């Protein structure tokens, strides 16, 4: 079982991230994924989040308590949610928007300039897709094929290709980081 | 009255009333029954398909009307006849739906539903028997009780402003608005007949004597005295500006047909709008596609 | 009871990733619901939004009314106009509906109301979960009556139980409730919608006899009277007053007995047919945990823990909460060491359990104030305690 939290500020498509990953896992990767999100006044504040509990069997407890994966696309969200990340967890951040503290425990931190990449692709609104690609590559919790299959219906039809491009960009970047990470170890 | 007139009035009534429920519960001299007679006449003259006509009442002396009329008839809860009728009409648009209820029911507890149904131009006729009080429960003050009139919960006289129902109806969007008194039975029937021939939200207010409570408490005499008041103080002003038709205690009663216009109904608007936005994907609701 | 297949027009066959609220709307459409009246309220609004988006292509009406009183009144009207109808709401709106829920019971009107429960009382916790309207749904309107209430524990079950709810409401001519909660309503999970031909629906019990012979409240052999719709020439009458077979007011104790007893007995005498429970490892159980809705999922985790610790614990999930499975609990009370009842309130369904257990075993309640679900640990501890 894994617990994942996507976080950022309102308007970054954070809830979408949870929906796309949840749908990909549940419908195309043969997992059971329960997605919840914060509603109401606290959801209107600047830190916004969606949570996924992923399991091979039925998810019994729908909320997350100590996620092993935290995705933060804003400084505020990072500060709010970093403390609950497990000591051996994975932290994914937007390189330009989040300044991370020295990591604690065995937490592995990976960063991607998701917003910058999105801007290069023509629209910062797809930064979440860059991040999702990056997330897919680094965590390998979900297959990239499933993620792409999950997109129709969750991103506007006329931007489907652009969203896929953004996803690929993040995915390739994540792959690259992983190979680079492995290289020195092999030596 | 000539003999034939008499006959003509009696037989069709039997057709339109639940004779197995007569005698009715209303007090001798009560005006509600006479409004029902006008309604029956309007139904008969309008020649609409009575199998496709439904009547909905709330709760009150007037609320009992649905129980006496031989149509598909619904006696609902206090104030909620209009939303009930809304559901009925929308579920089966070929119905002609009439709400028949009291002033307390329609303008007091149900006031919000009244203005919203008018705003939507929901296709229905609302007939409101205004007896200036909550009669069924013993003559309490209502939103329509004229200022200074007495009521059981206004024992020193009513010091609130009252609603002028035609003004409220027009301002909210009604496409047909008329007011009469129980003295004007032919005209009441004619208005009802006109409304039955129209589409959209029609409102007919009938000032009606409640002899037992309102009249007695205010020492206004019996039914005859009230009719005399209606006779002396009513003034027919078709097309009158509804802002000018408010009623003061025992004051002038401006009556007539105030509003009669055409406007697309709720369902017209829904069909037209969705058709425009969704194109071929949308099939108009409530109209035959054969 | 006439069974028919669902109309494919309303059925979104396939696997989807939906929240419970959306699944309710899909369940309603699949069940043939073609009229929806409602008023926005968190956390149920998404159902109305989904229905309003989907209905134009299916054929039917969505209307946002001026309040919840109007919504339920419109529903009753729509059913008598011939449609299947549904509304959704939450705490405050549910309170507003109470009077007309009584009217629906009295007029024996089949319809479905979903309450996506949030924390109360009053405005309470609009965006957070609760199970605090479980008694209100049974007793909230004045007078004696019976209703049916179902509790989904997932978006999938929001869909499935919505279809069941429509069917039950038609079979028994009774308002049927889906008592969901914010957690289930707002969580997204996989929802599989079967092909239309696999969805079995109960057709309204239409009266087919001579039009002038129709008696809206004459019970048939199965206790349930026939229905008609307005506009078909029956010229029938119906009222919220105590009435006779004709639907005419009959205001005395004698008719009160006939009329109200019928409303109560048509459900009580059919309780066995209505009630759906999910039981697990009951046979060897010493402890039984009784729960419903989202709480039963959290309970399962606690129970797994308890079983690992060697405790013989069984579970009953109340899919049907009303009518309450009185018979079954009474039966088990004789041989069970203790019952544990977690629920997100300060003691509602536990009272029913206590009533049925009749002091034969301890009934341990695990209350929760609302706003969140139980910590499974808390339930585990209670099970451990009970097993001592
Ligand atoms: C919710 C509710 N509140 C109060 C009542 C009691 N009640 C019954 S009839 C009535 C007043 C009816 O007045 P109106 O609509 O003017 O009808 P009338 O009897 O004057 O014809 C009231 C307050 C009720 N039945 N339901
Ligand atoms: S109390 Fe008044 S309104 Fe009611 S029946 Fe008697 S006279 Fe008519
Ligand atoms: Mg009155």
């Amino acid at each position: 079982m894994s617990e994942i939290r996507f976080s950022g500020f309102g308007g970054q498509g954070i809830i979408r991230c949870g929906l796309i990953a949840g749908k990909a896992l549940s419908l195309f990767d043969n997992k059971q994924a329960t997605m919840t999100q914060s509603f109401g006044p606290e959801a209107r504040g600047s830190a916004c989040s969606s949570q996924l509990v992923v399991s091979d069997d039925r998810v019994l407890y729908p909320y997350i308590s100590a996620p092993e994966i935290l995705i933060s696309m804003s400084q505020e969200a990072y500060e709010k949610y970093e403390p609950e990340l497990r000591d051996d967890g994975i932290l994914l951040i937007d390189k330009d928007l989040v300044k991370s503290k020295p990591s604690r425990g065995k937490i592995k931190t990976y960063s991607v300039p998701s917003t910058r990449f999105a801007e290069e692709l023509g629209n910062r609104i797809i930064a979440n897709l860059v991040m999702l690609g990056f997330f897919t590559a680094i965590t390998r919790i979900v297959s990239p094929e499933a993620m792409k299959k999950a997109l129709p219906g969750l991103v506007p039809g006329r931007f489907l290709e652009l969203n896929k491009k953004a996803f690929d960009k993040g995915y390739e970047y994540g792959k690259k980081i992983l190979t680079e990470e492995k290289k020195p170890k092999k030596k | 009255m000539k003999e034939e007139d008499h006959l003509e009035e009696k037989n069709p009534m039997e057709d339109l009333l639940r004779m197995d429920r007569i005698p009715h519960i209303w007090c001798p001299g009560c005006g509600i029954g006479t409004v029902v007679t006008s309604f029956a006449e309007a139904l008969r003259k309008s020649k609409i398909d009575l199998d496709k006509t439904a009547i909905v009442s709330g709760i009150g002396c007037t609320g009992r009307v649905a129980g006496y009329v031989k149509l598909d008839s619904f006696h609902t809860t206090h104030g909620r006849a209009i939303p009930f009728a809304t559901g009925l009409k929308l579920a089966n648009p070929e119905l002609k739906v009439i709400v028949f209820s009291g002033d307390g029911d329609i303008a007091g507890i149900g006031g919000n539903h009244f203005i919203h149904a008018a705003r939507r131009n929901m296709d229905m006729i609302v007939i409101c028997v205004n007896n200036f009080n909550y009669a069924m429960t013993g003559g309490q003050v209502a939103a329509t009780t004229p200022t200074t009139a007495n009521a059981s919960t206004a024992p020193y006289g009513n010091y609130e402003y009252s609603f002028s129902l035609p003004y409220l109806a027009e301002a909210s969007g009604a496409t047909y608005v008329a007011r009469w008194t129980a003295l004007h039975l032919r005209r009441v029937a004619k208005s009802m007949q006109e409304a039955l021939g129209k589409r959209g939200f029609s409102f007919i207010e009938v000032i009606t004597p409640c002899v037992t409570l309102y009249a007695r408490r205010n020492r206004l005499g019996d039914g005859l005295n009230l009719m005399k008041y209606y006779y002396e103080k009513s003034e027919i002003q078709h097309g009158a500006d509804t802002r000018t038709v408010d009623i003061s205690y025992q004051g002038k009663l401006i009556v007539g047909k105030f509003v009669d216009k055409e406007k697309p109904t709720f369902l017209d608007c829904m069909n037209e709008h969705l058709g425009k936005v969704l194109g071929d994907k949308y099939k108009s609701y409530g109209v035959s596609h054969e | 009871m006439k069974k028919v297949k669902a109309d494919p027009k309303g059925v979104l066959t396939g696997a989807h990733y939906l929240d419970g609220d959306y699944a309710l709307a899909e369940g309603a459409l699949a069940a043939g619901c073609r009229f929806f009246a409602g008023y926005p309220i968190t956390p149920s609004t998404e159902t109305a939004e989904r229905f309003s988006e989907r209905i134009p292509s299916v054929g039917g009406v969505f209307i946002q009314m001026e309040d919840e009183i109007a919504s339920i009144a419109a529903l009753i009207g729509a059913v008598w106009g011939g449609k299947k109808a549904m509304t959704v709401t939450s705490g405050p709106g549910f309170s507003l509906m109470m009077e007309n829920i009584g009217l629906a019971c009295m007029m024996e009107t089949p319809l479905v109301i979903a309450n996506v429960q949030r924390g109360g009382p009053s405005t309470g916790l609009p965006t957070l979960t609760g199970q605090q309207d479980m008694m209100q749904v049974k007793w909230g309107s004045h007078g004696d009556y019976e209703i049916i209430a179902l509790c989904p524990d997932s978006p999938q079950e929001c869909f499935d139980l919505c279809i069941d709810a429509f069917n039950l409401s038609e079979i028994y001519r009774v308002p049927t409730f889906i008592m969901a909660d914010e957690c289930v309503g707002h969580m997204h999970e996989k929802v599989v919608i079967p092909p239309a031909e696999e969805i079995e629906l109960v057709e309204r019990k239409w009266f087919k006899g001579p039009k002038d012979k129709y008696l809206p409240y004459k019970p048939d052999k199965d206790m349930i009277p026939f229905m008609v719709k307005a506009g078909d020439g029956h010229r029938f009458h119906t009222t919220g007053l105590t009435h006779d077979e004709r639907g005419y007011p009959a205001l005395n104790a004698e008719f009160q007995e006939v009329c109200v007893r019928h409303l109560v007995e048509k459900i009580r005498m059919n309780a066995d047919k209505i009630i759906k429970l999910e039981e697990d490892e009951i046979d060897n159980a010493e402890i039984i945990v009784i729960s419903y809705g989202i709480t039963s999922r959290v309970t399962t985790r606690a129970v797994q823990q308890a079983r690992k610790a060697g405790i013989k614990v069984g579970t009953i999930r109340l899919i049907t909460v009303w009518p309450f499975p009185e018979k079954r609990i009474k039966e088990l009370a004789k041989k069970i060491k203790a019952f544990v009842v977690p629920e997100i309130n300060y003691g509602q369904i536990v009272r029913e359990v206590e009533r049925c257990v009749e002091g034969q075993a301890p009934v341990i309640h695990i209350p929760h104030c609302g706003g969140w679900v139980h910590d499974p640990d808390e339930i585990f501890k209670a099970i451990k305690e009970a097993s001592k």
Side-chain angles (χ1 to χ4, degrees):
Chain A
M1 209 181 64
S2 9
E3 297 182 350
I4 305 165
R5 185 189 292 281
F6 297 91
S7 67
F9 52 77
Q12 274 181 320
I14 297 300
I15 309 294
R16 249 333 88 146
C17 285
L19 276 174
I20 293 167
K23 179 178 171 187
L25 284 156
S26 303
L27 303 194
F28 311 117
D29 264 356
N30 216 11
K31 296 270 183 199
Q32 309 222 22
T34 302
M35 198 281 275
T36 56
Q37 59 185 294
S38 313
F39 279 88
E42 86 256 45
R44 296 202 170 90
S46 33
C48 152
S49 130
S50 63
Q51 301 85 239
L52 262 185
V53 183
V54 187
S55 170
D56 287 327
D57 310 310
R58 189 167 197 223
V59 173
L60 296 173
Y61 190 80
Y63 300 118
I64 63 174
S65 37
E68 45 262 76
I69 301 168
L70 171 67
I71 296 95
S72 284
M73 292 183 67
S74 80
Q75 188 67 30
E76 203 184 327
Y78 164 76
E79 305 205 343
K80 183 167 175 190
Y81 296 115
E82 192 276 337
E84 63 172 26
L85 182 62
R86 270 168 43 174
D87 275 354
D88 57 351
I90 299 175
L91 171 68
L92 306 180
I93 53 174
D94 182 297
K95 202 173 212 153
D96 304 318
L97 300 182
V98 179
K99 266 204 186 63
S100 62
K101 294 172 284 199
S103 66
R104 73 186 145 78
K106 284 189 233 142
I107 292 175
K108 281 189 180 164
T109 305
Y110 298 90
S111 59
V112 54
S114 55
T115 309
R116 187 153 28 102
F117 281 172
E119 274 164 357
E120 284 165 19
L121 287 166
N123 200 336
R124 64 184 307 156
I125 202 125
I126 51 176
N128 62 339
L129 261 295
V130 178
M131 183 54 96
L132 275 179
F134 187 63
F135 155 82
T136 307
I138 301 280
T139 65
R140 276 174 292 190
I141 203 164
V142 56
S143 69
E145 296 76 26
M147 288 293 271
K148 283 195 198 162
K149 262 171 125 178
L151 293 181
L154 289 175
V155 300
R158 58 207 162 95
F159 294 126
L160 185 59
E161 284 316 308
L162 186 62
N163 275 276
K164 280 187 182 162
K165 239 192 223 161
F167 179 88
D168 287 339
K169 178 99 185 171
Y171 186 76
E172 293 312 326
Y173 188 78
K175 279 270 179 221
K176 209 173 85 201
I177 286 192
L178 283 185
T179 23
E180 276 167 15
E181 196 184 56
K182 276 179 198 153
K183 271 181 207 159
K185 273 187 202 157
K186 274 180 192 164
K187 271 179 197 168
Chain B
M1 203 182 279
K2 278 189 292 171
E3 183 68 44
E4 307 121 61
D5 276 24
H6 190 73
L7 279 178
E8 201 187 294
E9 240 167 52
K10 199 177 157 213
N11 290 335
M13 280 291 281
E14 283 195 13
D15 227 38
L16 291 166
L17 296 183
R18 298 189 189 276
M19 297 313 284
D20 50 351
R21 290 216 55 212
I22 306 296
H24 56 66
I25 62 151
W26 297 307
C27 309
C30 172
I32 298 172
T34 57
V35 186
V36 176
T37 309
S38 299
F39 179 59
E41 188 182 319
L43 283 178
R44 188 164 50 85
K45 287 203 175 141
S46 70
K47 305 217 160 54
I48 55 169
D49 182 352
L50 296 180
D51 282 345
K52 303 259 175 254
T53 308
I55 180 168
V56 185
S57 291
I59 300 292
C61 293
T62 317
R64 290 302 190 93
V65 167
Y68 298 116
V69 180
K70 203 164 163 187
L71 298 170
D72 288 336
S73 55
F74 301 90
H75 184 216
T76 65
T77 50
H78 192 29
R80 317 306 166 193
I82 289 175
F84 187 106
T86 297
L88 189 64
K89 172 72 193 178
L90 294 182
N92 190 357
E94 60 172 23
L95 289 176
K96 183 59 77 183
V97 177
I98 299 112
V99 169
F100 206 127
S101 218
D103 50 314
D105 198 84
I106 282 166
I109 189 168
N112 197 32
H113 309 309
F114 176 61
I115 60 175
H116 281 280
R119 171 181 66 79
R120 297 182 180 111
N121 198 24
M122 196 55 72
D123 187 11
M124 61 170 71
I125 300 161
V126 174
I127 298 167
C128 178
V129 168
N130 183 358
N131 52 17
F132 298 143
N133 74 147
Y134 284 172
M136 178 63 112
T137 40
Q140 292 79 26
V141 72
T144 45
T145 307
T147 312
T148 73
N150 259 277
S152 76
T153 47
Y156 309 109
N158 175 28
Y159 42 81
E160 291 188 22
Y161 304 104
S162 59
F163 265 145
S164 172
L165 299 182
Y167 181 29
L168 183 63
E170 183 179 16
S172 305
T175 49
Y176 184 95
V177 180
R179 171 198 277 159
W180 300 105
T181 77
L183 180 76
H184 304 89
L185 287 181
R186 298 259 136 176
R187 299 196 188 252
V188 171
K190 181 155 179 266
S191 269
M192 289 173 174
Q193 197 186 329
E194 276 178 11
L196 285 168
K198 269 181 77 84
R199 300 169 75 250
F201 189 87
S202 298
F203 176 67
I204 301 168
E205 176 186 19
V206 189
I207 314 278
T208 307
C210 167
V211 285
T212 311
L213 299 162
Y214 182 78
R216 188 176 293 166
R217 179 170 281 277
N218 286 287
R219 299 177 207 285
L220 300 174
D222 57 13
L224 213 61
N225 294 90
L226 285 171
M227 289 296 182
K228 206 163 145 236
Y229 158 55
Y230 298 162
Y231 180 74
E232 282 168 1
K233 291 291 183 73
S234 62
E235 204 176 294
I236 300 177
Q237 282 186 30
H238 291 302
D241 183 336
T242 53
R243 285 173 299 184
T244 65
V245 303
D246 45 317
I247 297 171
S248 61
Y249 181 58
Q250 290 298 95
K252 199 157 69 176
L253 298 168
I254 297 171
V255 297
K257 177 166 80 176
F258 304 138
V259 178
D260 188 354
K261 59 184 181 194
E262 302 297 327
K263 199 167 82 172
T265 65
F266 173 88
L267 279 180
D268 295 340
C269 296
M270 177 178 113
N271 281 330
E272 205 210 293
H273 185 78
L274 292 177
K276 210 181 320 175
V277 176
L278 301 173
D280 292 343
K281 270 192 289 180
Y282 184 71
K283 273 211 164 68
S284 281
Y285 175 81
V287 293
S288 154
H289 293 287
E290 277 142 46
Chain C
M1 190 191 320
K2 190 170 165 206
K3 296 206 170 151
V4 292
K5 303 275 172 249
D7 173 2
K9 245 193 298 169
V11 186
L12 206 63
T13 303
H16 308 269
Y17 198 59
L18 298 178
D19 71 4
D21 282 3
Y22 275 18
L24 283 171
E26 291 304 334
L29 289 165
C33 172
R34 296 296 180 264
F35 182 87
F36 186 108
Y39 189 82
I41 186 165
T42 308
S44 69
T45 308
E46 288 88 343
T47 308
E49 290 171 343
R50 177 81 169 196
F51 201 95
S52 67
E53 188 191 330
R54 292 259 290 123
I55 194 67
S57 59
V58 175
V61 180
F62 166 86
I63 184 167
Q64 183 172 311
M65 295 300 286
E66 51 274 17
D67 58 30
E68 288 85 349
I69 305 177
S71 304
I72 171 78
L75 236 61
I76 306 172
V79 172
W80 285 101
K83 290 275 186 292
K84 286 188 174 181
M86 179 185 186
T87 187
V88 291
T89 190
S90 185
F94 200 51
S95 291
L96 282 186
M97 287 184 185
M98 285 302 143
E99 185 195 13
N100 276 268
I101 286 172
L103 179 70
C105 289
M106 196 60 145
M107 288 185 167
E108 300 193 56
T109 310
L111 48 83
V112 174
I113 301 170
N115 178 351
V116 184
Q117 297 172 88
R118 63 194 226 182
S122 189
T123 314
L125 288 175
T127 60
L128 295 171
T129 198
Q131 295 181 316
Q132 299 165 349
D133 309 341
M134 299 307 300
M135 281 291 170
Q136 185 185 21
V137 67
K138 172 65 189 76
W139 305 106
S141 197
H142 55 284
D144 275 319
Y145 59 93
E146 291 281 345
I147 48 85
I148 297 174
L150 313 174
C151 277
D153 73 349
S154 62
Q156 178 69 53
E157 226 179 35
C158 285
F159 177 86
D160 297 341
L161 292 188
C162 198
I163 291 175
D164 287 356
F166 271 98
N167 285 346
L168 289 165
S169 79
E170 295 292 344
I171 297 173
Y172 298 104
R173 271 186 71 173
V174 72
T176 300
F177 297 81
I178 301 168
M179 298 300 285
D181 67 83
E182 187 276 336
C183 185
V184 165
H186 275 165
M187 72 161 62
H188 276 78
E189 283 185 344
K190 180 174 171 178
V191 175
V192 179
I193 300 180
E197 66 268 20
E198 286 170 25
I199 300 175
E200 205 166 65
L201 302 177
V202 174
E203 203 185 69
R204 192 156 292 169
K205 194 172 169 184
W206 297 115
F207 176 74
K208 304 260 164 62
K211 295 208 189 295
D212 58 339
K213 292 284 177 312
Y214 176 59
L215 294 169
Y217 296 101
K218 184 178 162 57
D220 188 24
K221 288 184 292 285
D222 63 356
M223 300 178 79
I224 312 304
F226 286 95
M227 262 198 99
V228 296
K229 68 175 169 55
D232 286 351
H234 300 89
R235 310 269 192 107
F236 66 100
H237 182 62
T238 174
T239 174
L241 289 168
T242 296
H243 46 258
D244 61 18
E245 289 181 340
R246 298 169 299 176
Y248 290 3
L251 307 181
N252 55 47
E254 199 182 315
F255 276 101
Q256 173 77 353
E257 157 106 29
V258 179
C259 179
V260 179
R261 178 188 262 211
H262 165 72
L263 296 182
V264 168
E265 286 194 342
K266 69 175 178 180
I267 302 302
R268 288 195 189 165
M269 302 199 8
N270 286 304
D272 285 348
K273 281 190 240 161
I274 298 169
I275 292 167
K276 225 164 131 182
L277 303 175
E278 196 177 81
E279 299 187 348
D280 186 41
E281 296 194 22
I282 290 289
D283 290 344
N284 303 314
E286 288 181 352
I287 311 289
I288 288 181
V289 189
I290 299 175
S291 59
Y292 54 90
I294 187 63
T295 307
S296 42
R297 284 174 73 159
V298 182
T299 294
T300 308
R301 198 193 254 189
V303 166
Q304 288 171 351
Q305 228 176 319
R307 284 178 187 156
K308 261 193 216 137
I311 304 170
K312 287 183 180 155
V313 49
T315 57
I316 297 181
R317 180 163 78 93
L318 308 175
I319 297 172
T320 315
V321 172
W322 300 110
F324 192 73
E326 200 168 303
K327 218 158 89 186
R328 183 66 178 140
I329 307 291
K330 279 188 174 161
E331 220 168 73
L332 292 168
K334 293 188 197 102
K335 42 190 183 200
I336 294 300
K337 196 161 150 191
F339 291 87
V340 175
V341 187
E343 50 182 346
I344 309 177
N345 57 53
Y346 277 128
Q348 298 197 9
I349 294 306
V350 68
R351 290 163 163 260
E352 278 299 288
V353 178
E354 281 165 353
R355 182 176 69 79
C356 299
V357 170
E358 293 172 322
Q360 298 178 80
V363 177
I364 296 151
H365 185 231
I366 315 174
H368 191 297
C369 59
W372 210 247
V373 296
H374 288 81
D375 181 343
D377 248 14
E378 207 184 333
I379 303 174
F380 170 59
K381 277 188 200 124
I383 297 171
K384 217 161 75 180
E385 198 57 34
S387 72
K388 279 185 188 156

